[in-house]
Amino acid sequence: MQQDMIVVLDLGSEENTLIARDIRSLGVYTEIHPHDITAQQLKALPNVRGIILNGGPNRVVDGVSIDASDAVYQSGLPLFAVDHAGKIPMSLANWPEEETARKDILKQFVFDRCNAQKNWNMDNFIADQIDLIRQQVGDKKVLLALSGGVDSSVVAALLIRAIGKQLTCVHVNHGLLRKGEPEQVVEVFQKQMGANLVYVDATDRFLSKLQGVADPEKKRKIIGAEFIRVFEEEARKLDGIQFLGQGTIYPDIVESGTKTAKMVKSHHNVGGLPEDMQFELVEPLKMLFKDEVRACGKALGLPDSMVYRQPFPGPGLGVRCLGAITRDRLEALRESDAILREEFEKAGLAGKVWQYFTIVPDFKSVGVRDNARSFEWPAIIRAVNTVDAMTATIEPIDWEVLARITQRVTHEVPGINRVLYDLTPKPVGTIEWE
């Protein structure tokens, strides 16, 4: 069933994604498009019921105040303008900051003026995407790099539902994942979902390349480049692959920049894979926001531990094992992080704190263990809350919880004799240490 759509046109607003999310939360599908959308592009969009011209502080481009294309004004569709002079009777100076007031305005436009139906839900989305994937792929094969992160896991589950054994997933364990994560990927996708899963344990290969490398940027580049090489090697072993599954989500596209907004980060369609691989992309999540991706994962039957997995950097524990990585310190980091996650879960903090992890730096301090002098590493706890990762605040943790974590880490993890709590917000600090 095709959903009704409201189009949000970007005329320099900084609130495009906010308004799009508000409309979707009302049960109506929406997409953000450039201000100069053509008649042909507008006609190609299915079931458009109305258009919001969303103006704002970036409306002047190269000294000229931009406007919607003539195609918009001649479309015959209901129009609603914000911070936009002139041509449209239904207009608003600015969006209210309060969510309820904003949604009241949107309800009037979306339902009363546009007569849009509340048919945007995850069951309809999944059904639509399965049809679209089957139309695109036909009887061909798809390759997917399955990291175990939320986006790649949800894409994998959706592709399995759509094309089954035509999908091959490659999971590269670079030795820098959290405790239990590679095992969970194998358990969920290979054993429970019956996927074609190629599991590559490249731990020794990665740690060998990283030996003695202390510079954070060099570590990141080595990990990223080596991952691509391993993935390429596995891809060459497979015959008949014509499509590459990709966990692109809507913020990736929006943050790549529009004609009125600066790029936040570049959108790498194929994660740095060389162009000569000649894969056609399959990106079924590219119009979903992160919370919608999680809802899709839940609807597809993925476990909560995978669907609500915390943000995790591509280099993994490689940027939390500060300085040159050693196997013993990496293992101490993995074990201390697992204890922290377990204790946060017990204390009811797992769903309350946006991101939490441990860091083990490359220096030691004197301590006492078994009535003798010890010389071991500290484990540093980081627990932050944020909306957009641009700024972050520190979660106040009860002393009892911190004391329990300290007791367990210092007694259960070889090589750790101190536990510290990082109280630095962003700014002046950053969320990660490297």
Side-chain angles (χ1 to χ4, degrees):
M1 176 182 181
Q2 279 197 328
Q3 291 93 357
D4 286 350
M5 184 194 298
I6 301 295
V7 171
V8 175
L9 289 187
D10 176 18
L11 276 85
S13 175
E14 295 174 344
E15 297 177 325
N16 294 314
T17 55
L18 177 67
I19 302 309
R21 290 172 62 83
D22 281 345
I23 296 170
R24 290 192 190 185
S25 73
L26 297 174
V28 178
Y29 183 60
T30 185
E31 289 182 8
I32 302 165
H33 286 274
H35 69 281
D36 55 357
I37 189 169
T38 66
Q40 188 176 6
Q41 290 168 334
L42 189 58
K43 189 176 180 181
L45 297 175
N47 290 25
V48 177
R49 298 298 183 202
I51 301 174
I52 294 175
L53 286 72
N54 203 26
N58 299 318
R59 197 172 162 206
V60 177
V61 178
D62 297 328
V64 179
S65 183
I66 60 173
D67 198 355
S69 63
D70 289 342
V72 171
Y73 292 110
Q74 296 166 6
S75 66
L77 293 164
L79 303 178
F80 175 41
V82 181
D83 191 13
H84 184 76
K87 306 178 183 178
I88 301 171
M90 187 172 182
S91 61
L92 187 71
N94 291 292
W95 289 110
E97 290 186 15
E98 210 274 316
E99 183 181 358
T100 303
R102 231 176 21 247
K103 286 189 176 179
D104 285 342
I105 294 167
L106 288 169
K107 283 177 186 175
Q108 182 183 355
F109 177 67
V110 170
F111 298 120
D112 298 344
R113 288 213 50 215
C114 301
N115 295 315
Q117 300 299 306
K118 281 190 178 184
N119 50 18
W120 164 245
N121 59 59
M122 219 26 79
D123 288 341
N124 286 345
F125 171 81
I126 290 170
D128 282 351
Q129 288 304 317
I130 287 172
D131 287 343
L132 291 170
I133 290 165
R134 288 172 178 168
Q135 288 172 27
Q136 181 184 6
V137 173
D139 60 356
K140 304 298 190 300
K141 295 178 181 177
V142 181
L143 180 66
L144 174 70
L146 176 56
S147 68
V150 179
D151 302 335
S152 71
S153 296
V154 175
V155 168
L158 189 52
L159 288 169
I160 291 166
R161 181 81 63 91
I163 57 173
K165 295 293 185 181
Q166 292 168 244
L167 172 69
T168 298
C169 300
V170 176
H171 178 59
V172 178
N173 178 4
H174 50 26
L176 303 168
L177 296 171
R178 289 173 290 200
K179 187 174 182 179
E181 287 184 330
E183 294 83 359
Q184 185 185 41
V185 169
V186 173
E187 172 64 30
V188 171
F189 289 100
Q190 190 175 69
K191 296 181 180 177
Q192 295 178 17
M193 294 188 168
N196 285 328
L197 177 66
V198 177
Y199 173 75
V200 185
D201 187 349
T203 300
D204 291 343
R205 178 170 173 171
F206 276 82
L207 295 186
S208 175
K209 291 276 186 182
L210 290 164
Q211 189 170 354
V213 180
D215 181 79
E217 286 308 307
K218 287 182 181 176
K219 287 199 291 185
R220 288 177 182 273
K221 287 177 181 176
I222 289 169
I223 294 165
E226 200 62 22
F227 183 89
I228 292 167
R229 290 191 191 100
V230 174
F231 187 72
E232 280 183 286
E233 288 168 14
E234 295 303 321
R236 282 195 290 269
K237 296 175 187 176
L238 302 168
D239 293 326
I241 302 290
Q242 295 191 19
F243 294 89
L244 182 70
Q246 183 75 10
T248 308
I249 65 174
Y250 207 27
D252 295 333
I253 295 171
V254 174
E255 288 178 352
S256 289
T258 67
K259 294 171 183 178
T260 65
K262 291 182 179 178
M263 183 180 70
V264 177
K265 61 181 180 182
S266 59
H267 168 50
H268 300 289
N269 273 342
V270 290
L273 288 172
E275 293 178 8
D276 60 7
M277 290 189 80
Q278 299 296 314
F279 288 133
E280 183 180 334
L281 290 176
V282 181
E283 299 177 292
L285 306 181
K286 67 182 179 182
M287 289 303 181
L288 294 189
F289 292 105
K290 194 72 173 189
D291 58 326
E292 294 169 336
V293 174
R294 296 187 196 279
C296 184
K298 285 285 288 180
L300 289 165
L302 290 175
D304 282 1
S305 56
M306 193 169 270
V307 169
Y308 297 106
R309 181 183 189 257
Q310 288 192 13
F312 193 52
L317 299 180
V319 291
R320 296 175 182 173
C321 190
L322 304 186
I325 299 167
T326 60
R327 287 177 184 262
D328 51 355
R329 196 156 50 86
L330 179 61
E331 196 54 34
L333 170 61
R334 201 183 327 266
E335 292 298 324
S336 64
D337 184 78
I339 289 171
L340 175 70
R341 288 190 287 143
E342 188 178 314
E343 291 299 330
F344 266 41
E345 183 77 39
K346 288 179 186 175
L349 293 168
K352 182 184 175 188
V353 184
W354 184 77
Q355 193 173 15
Y356 47 93
F357 52 89
T358 60
I359 297 148
V360 178
D362 189 15
F363 61 80
K364 295 181 177 181
S365 68
V366 69
V368 179
R369 190 180 296 282
D370 299 326
N371 296 315
R373 183 179 183 272
S374 68
F375 199 54
E376 298 173 321
W377 304 295
I380 303 162
I381 296 172
R382 191 85 168 118
V384 299
N385 286 315
T386 182
V387 173
D388 54 11
M390 302 301 291
T391 61
T393 58
I394 303 304
E395 177 67 23
I397 307 297
D398 288 344
W399 283 113
E400 292 177 8
V401 176
L402 289 172
R404 190 160 58 247
I405 293 167
T406 302
Q407 170 70 15
R408 287 195 60 193
V409 169
T410 54
H411 286 74
E412 297 177 27
V413 182
I416 301 289
N417 68 350
R418 292 178 189 269
V419 174
L420 314 175
Y421 192 51
D422 181 356
L423 292 169
T424 314
K426 179 183 179 179
V428 293
T430 54
I431 293 173
E432 299 286 347
W433 273 49
E434 282 192 344

